[in-house]
Amino acid sequence: MAGLLTNSERALKRSQVSERNAAAMAQIDALIAQRQSPLSDNARHHWQLAQKTGFPAFRQEDWHYTSLDNLLAAEYQQRTGTIGALPAGVMTTLDAYRVVLVDGVFAPQWSDTGFGAYELSIADDKRAFPAAVNGEIFLHLTESLAQSPLIIRVKPGVQAEKPLYIVNISIAGNDALNMNHSRYHLEIGANAAASVIEHFISSDSTSAHFTGARLTAAIGENSDFRHLKLGFENSQAYHFAHNDLVIDANARVESTSFLLGGKLTRHHTSTQLNGEGVMLSMNSLVLPKNGEVADTRTYLEHNKGYCESRQRHKVIVMDNSKAVFNGMIKVAPHALKTDGQMTNNNLLLGKKAEVDTKPQLEIYADDVKCSHGATIGRIDEEQLFYLRARGIPEKEAKQMIILAFAAELTDSISDSVVNDVVMTRIRGVLDQGDKERA
């Protein structure tokens, strides 16, 4: 059949991929060898796992729709840069405690001097971080290469009055692709309340860089935890993140990601509900444009009964861009009265726009209520005609429909400063896409 590889072509391709992957791994091994300080016990363990796992093999299912060819063919470096001023995108007016990391390293000169209810420390070499809920190669790389892992604690019963605002600033390298890795672990005590905002920014608008990010959170009984991630890097950035949430009984947790920038973005959220009565909300919005790829994945284990989870994942794909969504809900045999829902809605804005979606359920218990679904469509011509008939120009009418599609998530942002920043970013991406098409 035309277009299919022959056996010899397939063998050649497999060999080329294997050689490329080995060369990329050798580069990273050399970067580790050049470090001035030895790897911590945790980093060494994950580097061993990374070497064992390796980069994706030819036609590996989890990477079938997300190509790593350009990334793995690049030359890497890992250095820590400096900044003379905070980039324009930093929310300096936000009422929050600010923590700044530059190329993954804590920058006290740009951070606040006090953090209220949040206790911060840099992990020592022997710190044992929690095991990964659902490991993969880029998770192991971030654990191996992170130079300034942070421990963030909120004591039991403490109600944090303001959010913790973690700003991650990536600086590009020279000719090589600069790799920077941010790592922080949160311990939210029982009956506590806390809110964390992650913000990823490029130091300039055009230079390529590689960002690895990992957040893990142990969320205590009857606690209230809110997490918001803003991925606003430039159009040449590679961003790989894997967040783990481990939640105890009767906790209320909300985690929402707005991934609105990057040449290639792959974002995981892996979650375990390990106590009864948990209420979880997990959401995301991606908006790839001009050939970008946005890959979003969730993995959720309902390990105890009487828990409720809601997932809403919105995808807006422009031009010739691609989006991938893969979601999994697992219900353990003894997790009775589980109530889990996962929805993925996709809006295609270009003739060559592509989305690949795979919501999944694995249910091993009786007496549960679980559902999943996906929709894919384009702008409704009747809606567009209705708006244009009332004198609204086509460009503005389309933008109104797109913003209405995203409103289910954007309207949930209670802080006006953050809401304005997100809405400005979305409008900017849409306007840039219109200019590039023109």
Side-chain angles (χ1 to χ4, degrees):
M1 184 180 295
L4 295 180
L5 297 177
T6 65
N7 289 338
S8 59
E9 290 172 332
R10 189 177 293 107
L12 177 60
K13 178 67 174 179
R14 186 177 292 109
S15 175
Q16 292 172 338
V17 169
S18 178
E19 291 177 2
R20 179 206 64 187
N21 292 0
M25 192 65 74
Q27 280 199 71
I28 299 172
D29 192 24
L31 291 177
I32 290 176
Q34 294 168 11
R35 294 178 65 145
Q36 295 181 352
S37 57
L39 295 180
S40 67
D41 291 347
N42 177 72
R44 188 180 306 108
H45 169 68
H46 279 279
W47 177 234
Q48 292 169 352
L49 291 176
Q51 292 174 305
K52 181 179 179 180
T53 303
F55 288 111
F58 179 57
R59 290 189 178 277
Q60 187 169 323
E61 182 180 359
D62 282 349
W63 295 91
H64 185 72
Y65 299 105
T66 304
S67 173
L68 296 176
D69 289 349
N70 291 334
L71 174 66
L72 297 183
E75 181 182 351
Y76 306 139
Q77 68 176 22
Q78 187 178 27
R79 65 170 180 81
T80 303
T82 58
I83 54 174
L86 290 174
V90 177
M91 295 183 287
T92 54
T93 61
L94 181 65
D95 187 18
Y97 299 109
R98 186 172 69 215
V99 177
V100 178
L101 291 87
V102 178
D103 283 339
V105 176
F106 178 59
Q109 67 272 32
W110 301 111
S111 304
D112 288 345
T113 55
F115 305 102
Y118 305 91
E119 300 178 354
L120 269 69
S121 61
I122 297 177
D124 60 36
D125 291 344
K126 302 298 181 181
R127 172 73 192 198
F129 287 104
V133 174
N134 185 29
E136 46 87 25
I137 178 61
F138 287 96
L139 178 157
H140 299 313
L141 288 181
T142 295
E143 293 276 15
S144 304
L145 297 170
Q147 300 183 69
S148 183
L150 295 181
I151 309 298
I152 302 167
R153 296 185 179 90
V154 178
K155 291 181 178 179
V158 174
Q159 312 290 304
E161 71 279 12
K162 296 194 295 187
L164 187 69
Y165 176 39
I166 306 175
V167 185
N168 297 270
I169 302 170
S170 296
I171 301 177
N174 298 321
D175 296 329
L177 193 65
N178 195 40
M179 304 177 71
N180 66 85
H181 296 266
S182 301
R183 174 69 172 99
Y184 22 87
H185 175 63
L186 285 81
E187 297 177 358
I188 311 299
N191 302 297
S195 178
V196 172
I197 301 171
E198 293 184 273
H199 196 179
F200 291 84
I201 302 174
S202 303
S203 61
D204 65 65
S205 60
T206 58
S207 300
H209 58 84
F210 176 117
T211 299
R214 178 146 169 78
L215 175 152
T216 56
I219 303 161
E221 290 187 8
N222 199 38
S223 59
D224 194 319
F225 178 62
R226 298 289 180 267
H227 167 248
L228 180 65
K229 176 171 179 174
L230 309 178
F232 291 1
E233 293 177 307
N234 68 34
S235 60
Q236 298 303 312
Y238 296 90
H239 184 100
F240 293 85
H242 202 138
N243 294 344
D244 280 3
L245 307 176
V246 178
I247 309 171
D248 283 345
N250 300 309
R252 298 160 299 281
V253 178
E254 179 179 335
S255 179
T256 301
S257 299
F258 292 92
L259 307 172
L260 308 175
K263 182 176 183 177
L264 171 58
T265 301
R266 186 170 170 109
H267 186 272
H268 291 247
T269 302
S270 298
T271 308
Q272 290 179 334
L273 309 187
N274 290 340
E276 294 184 351
V278 174
M279 296 183 65
L280 169 69
S281 175
M282 188 158 51
N283 315 297
S284 67
L285 173 69
V286 301
L287 208 172
K289 67 179 189 316
N290 193 31
E292 294 173 352
V293 178
D295 187 334
T296 308
R297 292 167 183 264
T298 66
Y299 175 85
L300 170 59
E301 293 180 359
H302 277 266
N303 292 327
K304 295 291 183 179
Y306 301 92
C307 294
E308 178 181 296
S309 65
R310 297 289 182 269
Q311 296 187 52
R312 295 172 297 173
H313 302 283
K314 299 274 188 173
V315 175
I316 304 169
V317 191
M318 302 175 67
D319 315 309
N320 59 336
S321 301
K322 178 189 290 188
V324 180
F325 174 76
N326 190 311
M328 167 66 78
I329 298 177
K330 281 189 173 183
V331 182
H334 48 276
L336 303 179
K337 300 296 183 180
T338 288
D339 184 354
Q341 296 180 18
M342 175 170 54
T343 304
N344 171 225
N345 302 119
N346 302 275
L347 181 63
L348 302 180
L349 301 183
K351 292 182 179 180
K352 295 183 179 180
E354 178 182 339
V355 63
D356 301 284
T357 178
K358 187 180 179 182
Q360 305 170 77
L361 297 175
E362 287 189 14
I363 302 174
Y364 301 100
D366 297 325
D367 197 12
V368 302
K369 182 170 64 174
C370 291
S371 66
H372 67 327
T375 63
I376 301 176
R378 299 185 183 273
I379 289 180
D380 190 309
E381 293 296 330
E382 290 187 7
Q383 292 179 350
L384 187 60
F385 175 80
Y386 178 86
L387 294 173
R388 296 198 65 192
R390 280 148 182 80
I392 301 174
E394 182 177 3
K395 177 183 175 181
E396 285 76 6
K398 287 183 177 179
Q399 190 165 115
M400 288 176 64
I401 295 172
I402 295 167
L403 294 177
F405 175 83
E408 189 176 9
L409 299 185
T410 56
D411 287 353
S412 67
I413 304 174
S414 58
D415 189 285
S416 60
V417 174
V418 180
N419 188 280
D420 288 345
V421 167
V422 171
M423 295 305 298
T424 299
R425 179 75 178 193
I426 293 174
R427 291 190 178 97
V429 172
L430 295 175
D431 289 341
Q432 187 176 350
D434 289 336
K435 291 179 182 178
E436 290 169 350
R437 284 191 297 273

